[in-house]
Structure formats: C-alpha cells, structure tokens
Amino acid sequence: MRVAPSILSADFGNLAHDVQAICDGGCDLVHVDVMDGHFVPNLTIGPVVVDAVNKASTKPLDIHLMVENNSFFVDLFAPYNPEFISFHIEEEKHPHRLIQKIRSLGIRPALVLNPHTPVETIEFLLEDVDMVLLMSVNPGFGGQTFIPSVIEKAIGLKALIEKRDTECLIEVDGGVNDKNIKALCDAGVDIVVAGSFVYKHPQGIATAIASLK
Ligand code: DX5
Ligand code: ZN
C-alpha cells in the first residue's frame, strides 16, 4: 500500500517543516489539494505555495484539482513536475482531451470520482489514465467521516480495469485510517490519501504511515 499524506492537515505556518516530516516519515507521494471556492466550498492553495511545497519535498507531488477550470490549473501547476495531476470527471466536458494535454506535459493523468459517481462513467477512459481516485468523502475538507460504499466501488473499478485488460492504479481519498485500511487493501486499492490520520496521530507521523502500510 502506498501512502500519500494530504498537506491540507499540515500546519500552514510551518509548511516546509510539515512537508519534510511526511517525507522523512516514509510517505510515497505528497498529496496536494487544490480548491477554488467554486467546485468545492473551500479555497486552498495556488502556485506560490505549491512551489514552496515542491522545494521542501523529497517525494513526488500528487496534485488533486477540485476546481472549475481544470485546463487553466493544469497549466499553473505543470512547472512543478508533479507525478500525477487528477481532475474531477464531474467538472470536465472533454476529459479525453484534458488527459492528452496532461500526458503531453510529461505528467501522469488521473481521474477523480465523487462518492455518487458510478465507476462505469469512466470505463472508456481507463486505457488513457494512469490512476483513478475514488473520493470516500465529499471533497472540500479534511477530517470527514469515511463513506463505506467506496469499498464496493473500488471492487467494481478493479473488475472494470481487468475487463478492459489495462493497467490503472486505484487511489482512495478521505477519512482513511487504520480501521478501514484492510478493507481498502482487500478491495485492490493501490494508494491511499490520509490527512488528519497522519498529521494528528498521537504517536507521530512515521507511526501513522507505517500503520497504514
Ligand atoms: C478532501 C481532500 C482530502 C482530504 C483528506 O477534499 O481531497 O485529500 O484532505 O483528509 P482526511 O484524511 O482528513 O479525510
Ligand atoms: Zn485530495
């Protein structure tokens, strides 16, 4: 299981320190939640902060766009060489075109599905993306409660990936902790995002990451 802590739960007054802490603590990716105040009722960070996060990080960035104008934001964040840029299928009229654009920039494209969005919606895009991110909370805030139906969705997505005979990672984001990690692993999930569980763990960041792995 690869672990991508979300910096949304970091102390933004000590952001470089808190990014280094997850890298030193054994994370695989640094998950960056970009919110525009339109697609979701919250506003987070732009390129100035992502530049600082990138400089502090020794691990690749995993940029999760929760925005209305995806293509504009892809252009803003491409210079920081993230491993992944993921965008919400609910907000994109031309996902195939955007996937091609992200790949042409040397970045691995990924799709995100809100809790209500069926996995069948993206069946004919699975060959074109490197990852599908299933939301296990409603996007917008850290520290929310895990929605258990994502387990069934992950099992369905895994079956769809096998049916299409393609390779595509499955990531889950929201409310992940040491109670639901086993079910996620059994469902075929490859990467979990965890914000509050990692940053607020009483035994510290490294213990939190190790317990998920
Ligand atoms: C929610 C974000 C998540 C969130 C995860 O919109 O996409 O990445 O910060 O935080 P936790 O693990 O606390 O649910
Ligand atoms: Zn996220």
Side-chain angles (χ1 to χ4, degrees):
M1 183 63 78
R2 277 172 269 177
V3 178
S6 164
I7 58 160
L8 198 57
S9 294
D11 172 5
F12 273 58
N14 294 289
L15 191 53
H17 170 272
D18 276 13
V19 170
Q20 284 154 10
I22 52 173
C23 294
D24 294 346
C27 78
D28 299 282
L29 294 156
V30 172
H31 187 81
V32 178
D33 287 306
V34 176
M35 306 184 187
D36 68 349
H38 295 278
F39 179 65
V40 288
N42 196 4
L43 189 59
T44 58
I45 59 178
V48 174
V49 178
V50 172
D51 186 29
V53 169
N54 194 36
K55 284 179 177 144
S57 178
T58 54
K59 301 291 168 71
L61 302 188
D62 173 30
I63 295 186
H64 174 191
L65 298 180
M66 285 159 274
V67 301
E68 278 188 350
N69 191 346
N70 283 302
S71 186
F72 170 78
F73 283 89
V74 166
D75 288 332
L76 277 188
F77 295 117
Y80 306 106
N81 296 315
E83 176 158 348
F84 295 99
I85 291 185
S86 59
F87 65 90
H88 276 258
I89 192 73
E90 299 86 6
E91 193 51 49
E92 188 52 50
K93 287 199 186 83
H94 301 288
H96 192 266
R97 180 180 294 150
L98 186 62
I99 289 164
Q100 287 175 323
K101 172 176 172 165
I102 294 170
R103 204 178 284 290
S104 75
L105 292 164
I107 300 161
R108 303 178 78 187
L111 292 165
V112 194
L113 273 61
N114 270 335
H116 73 282
T117 306
V119 291
E120 288 74 17
T121 311
I122 56 159
E123 174 170 0
F124 298 103
L125 293 171
L126 287 175
E127 275 103 303
D128 303 296
V129 290
D130 286 4
M131 184 168 77
V132 174
L133 167 51
L134 300 176
M135 291 306 298
S136 41
V137 296
N138 288 297
F141 303 94
Q144 301 182 81
T145 304
F146 183 80
I147 299 171
S149 58
V150 76
I151 303 287
E152 192 185 331
K153 278 179 79 174
I155 292 169
L157 176 58
K158 187 83 183 167
L160 215 50
I161 293 167
E162 282 166 9
K163 177 185 156 197
R164 305 297 307 175
D165 195 21
T166 189
E167 299 215 350
C168 175
L169 297 166
I170 303 176
E171 184 175 45
V172 167
D173 182 3
V176 172
N177 57 37
D178 56 358
K179 307 285 186 298
N180 48 41
I181 191 74
K182 171 84 168 63
L184 290 166
C185 184
D186 291 348
V189 173
D190 303 287
I191 305 172
V192 286
V193 177
S196 45
F197 179 75
V198 167
Y199 273 107
K200 303 193 191 320
H201 196 283
Q203 268 88 53
I205 285 171
T207 304
I209 293 172
S211 74
L212 294 176
K213 284 174 174 272

